[in-house]
Amino acid sequence: MKSITERHQLILQKLQENGKLNIPQLIEEMNVSGVTVRKDLKLLEDKKLLFRTRGGASMQNPYAIERPINEKEFIKSDEKKRIAKTALSLIGPNDSIMIGSGTTVYELARALHPEKKIIVITPALKVALELCNRPNIEVLQLGGLVHQSSSSTAGSFAEKILEELSCGVLFLGVDGIDLDHGLTITNIMEASLNQKMIALAQTVVVLADSSKFDRRGLGKICNLEQIDYIITDKQVNRSTVSQIEKMGVKVIVAE
């Protein structure tokens, strides 16, 4: 059996040659269990040497291009769960909240079990399905065209409904956080809907793992000064955090 160093060298070599790998291929080639392969991939991702994807790994940043939500959810999944649990503290009893689209905010929906009634407004079908039968939660699903990659609605119908609403806290997922360019997402129609949601929320909270920093997506949502909180993981660059907090944004690092 290969040592951990030999396995990691082999994985990185194969990635350099092919650009991507799948877990069954690595299991056969290294003669180890799937659990071992997944641990190896996570360790290498933590060192920023590759990106985990659904069923394997890639050399390409999965946030640089638009990918299906069921593929993104396997990227930094542990960090997303910790971020979501930290975000729960910002929800008050009898609150009305909005949950946007994306895998990190979806983890918030999965972790949400309020003791008193709250209203959740969302464009994300996965969020609505997760919460629709949950005790003490009323769900308002925004209508409109469903975007296939994110399983979320966007467009004029969804934006029209928002004109009649207001909410306490918006939990937003993004694809990029850039000090100069602000918050971005890969889909332009969803960027427009996010802008509308920000305008009617009293508090805006961005849930984003550390890989989203210093990156840009296609559609700009807003400047950093327009949000109140960012909740991220402990791998975030401390210098970046300091610069963001100078803009008046509170950065919370989930432990």
Side-chain angles (χ1 to χ4, degrees):
M1 182 181 292
K2 294 180 182 295
S3 68
I4 186 171
T5 301
E6 291 171 332
R7 294 199 307 272
H8 288 186
Q9 288 175 343
L10 177 62
I11 290 169
L12 294 174
Q13 179 185 339
K14 293 294 183 182
L15 269 179
Q16 290 288 343
E17 293 171 357
N18 304 311
K20 59 183 180 180
L21 290 172
N22 61 65
I23 289 174
Q25 175 187 350
L26 292 172
I27 291 171
E28 181 178 354
E29 186 135 2
M30 298 192 297
N31 192 29
V32 293
S33 69
V35 172
T36 297
V37 170
R38 290 181 178 88
K39 286 181 178 179
D40 286 343
L41 294 180
K42 185 175 189 314
L43 285 169
L44 290 169
E45 185 185 53
D46 289 343
K47 294 177 181 178
K48 302 187 184 302
L49 297 173
L50 55 76
F51 297 96
R52 282 187 295 167
T53 62
R54 185 177 179 86
S58 172
M59 291 297 292
Q60 297 297 317
N61 180 359
Y63 296 107
I65 61 173
E66 195 166 15
R67 292 179 182 270
I69 192 170
N70 63 350
E71 187 171 316
K72 281 186 177 182
E73 67 181 315
F74 290 92
I75 302 164
K76 286 188 172 289
S77 58
D78 293 339
E79 288 85 351
K80 290 173 182 177
K81 289 180 174 67
R82 285 193 287 269
I83 290 167
K85 288 179 180 178
T86 302
L88 291 173
S89 64
L90 298 177
I91 302 173
N94 305 311
D95 216 341
S96 60
I97 68 172
M98 281 192 293
I99 299 178
S101 65
T103 53
T104 311
V105 288
Y106 172 63
E107 288 297 337
L108 173 63
R110 294 181 67 184
L112 186 58
H113 295 272
E115 295 182 2
K116 295 187 178 181
K117 284 189 178 293
I118 66 168
I119 297 172
V120 177
I121 305 161
T122 185
L125 297 184
K126 287 192 69 173
V127 169
L129 288 170
E130 181 71 28
L131 297 178
C132 63
N133 293 313
R134 189 83 53 87
N136 294 327
I137 297 177
E138 292 183 358
V139 179
L140 174 56
Q141 170 72 60
L142 298 180
L145 181 67
V146 178
H147 188 239
Q148 188 175 20
S149 179
S150 64
S151 298
S152 181
T153 59
S156 60
F157 289 107
E159 292 179 18
K160 183 72 175 176
I161 296 172
L162 287 176
E163 292 176 5
E164 310 297 326
L165 302 175
S166 64
C167 83
V169 187
L170 165 62
F171 294 96
L172 197 64
V174 299
D175 290 323
I177 300 173
D178 185 271
L179 291 171
D180 298 320
H181 197 60
L183 307 179
T184 54
I185 198 168
T186 53
N187 182 268
I188 295 175
M189 288 182 67
E190 289 186 25
S192 176
L193 182 65
N194 285 338
Q195 291 165 7
K196 299 287 186 181
M197 292 194 292
I198 287 170
L200 61 86
Q202 295 176 19
T203 303
V204 181
V205 183
V206 173
L207 307 186
D209 68 71
S210 55
S211 70
K212 306 293 184 68
F213 289 79
D214 301 318
R215 300 191 185 280
R216 297 186 183 186
L218 181 62
K220 181 172 179 176
I221 300 171
C222 67
N223 294 321
L224 280 162
E225 292 88 348
Q226 292 174 258
I227 65 172
D228 300 290
Y229 296 90
I230 296 175
I231 304 179
T232 188
D233 61 74
K234 59 187 178 181
Q235 295 179 43
V236 68
N237 184 287
R238 299 292 171 171
S239 173
T240 301
V241 169
S242 177
Q243 292 179 73
I244 291 174
E245 290 194 322
K246 287 177 182 177
M247 299 178 187
V249 182
K250 174 64 177 175
V251 180
I252 302 173
V253 177
E255 297 296 334

